Amino acid sequence: INDINDYLHFSEWAYVVLVIYHAPVMILALIGNFVVLYGTLKFNAISMDSVSLIFLEHLAFTDFTIAFLSGATILVTLLSRKWVLGTAMCFIQGMVGYIPTFCELLTLVIISGYRVFVLLRPFTAQNLGKRHGKRIMAGVWALSILFVVNAVCIMGQYTFFDPFILACNTSGLSADRSQLPYTIVCVVPRTLR
């Protein structure tokens, strides 16, 4: 499937509506998350406890990354009406695009759990500092990476084709495990042990 029209039969006005919707959403997500990151990192503009601030910064970073990686590729695909970014970008989009998504979901879960912890143990929560927040976020990133690498190496699913979000074409990537992307992500780390 090289052309979106081979799979999804959109009319001309549907493409226009999708682009008119998608472009401002992507731009606003990039600007909004950049402002949050810039304001918190450079000016300390947001006043809250240090652990919540670390969580907020990581949430903004993952959302910015998703808007940049997924948003830009979807917009390019919509405008060209086919996947034009190549096989390598298909793999990168699949690997790198899913890691921040899982990280963002886990961060939302951690934020909710932390809020419950603050309510149940307010005095213990006061003793937590940036170091604790950074360790928790490092664990969230590690878990997200492991989840995606598990999908790639163990389950062998690394084409990441999703026609409903106009992702990449599967004809360039097969289930052949001798291909370079699989070798880089799965085989090389095993040989380094």
Side-chain angles (χ1 to χ4, degrees):
I1 300 173
N2 287 324
D3 191 347
I4 294 172
N5 291 318
D6 292 346
Y7 191 83
L8 300 173
H9 302 287
F10 289 147
S11 63
E12 187 65 31
W13 69 269
Y15 280 107
V16 172
V17 168
L18 284 171
V19 170
I20 288 172
Y21 165 77
H22 192 74
V25 167
M26 183 189 72
I27 291 167
L28 289 174
L30 291 171
I31 292 171
N33 288 302
F34 176 78
V35 167
V36 168
L37 288 170
Y38 189 71
T40 58
L41 296 174
K42 179 141 176 112
F43 298 111
N44 268 346
I46 298 175
S47 177
M48 59 175 51
D49 67 289
S50 59
V51 176
S52 295
L53 190 60
I54 294 289
F55 294 165
L56 177 68
E57 290 168 352
H58 279 275
L59 189 63
F61 175 75
T62 55
D63 200 36
F64 182 87
T65 307
I66 291 167
F68 180 73
L69 289 174
S70 298
T73 55
I74 291 170
L75 191 59
V76 166
T77 304
L78 279 172
L79 291 172
S80 65
R81 297 189 186 191
K82 62 182 178 179
W83 184 261
V84 294
L85 301 173
T87 303
M89 188 59 189
C90 177
F91 182 77
I92 291 168
Q93 167 68 19
M95 287 299 293
V96 180
Y98 284 128
I99 292 171
T101 303
F102 289 124
C103 189
E104 184 171 26
L105 293 172
L106 289 174
T107 302
L108 290 171
V109 170
I110 294 294
I111 289 171
S112 298
Y114 178 70
R115 299 314 311 160
V116 170
F117 178 72
V118 167
L119 289 173
L120 296 177
R121 304 214 178 226
F123 298 114
T124 306
Q126 285 179 341
N127 295 330
L128 298 178
K130 281 189 173 185
R131 180 174 47 111
H132 293 96
K134 288 179 181 178
R135 285 182 181 171
I136 292 169
M137 286 297 102
V140 165
W141 278 97
L143 191 60
S144 299
I145 290 169
L146 286 174
F147 188 81
V148 172
V149 168
N150 173 48
V152 171
C153 297
I154 295 173
M155 297 186 312
Q157 299 174 357
Y158 65 97
T159 55
F160 298 105
F161 176 69
D162 189 347
F164 298 107
I165 61 167
L166 306 176
C168 58
N169 136 12
T170 56
S171 64
L173 295 173
S174 67
D176 180 13
R177 292 180 177 226
S178 66
Q179 288 188 354
L180 183 63
Y182 179 83
T183 304
I184 291 170
V185 173
C186 302
V187 178
V188 172
R190 287 184 198 154
T191 59
L192 297 177
R193 286 190 228 171

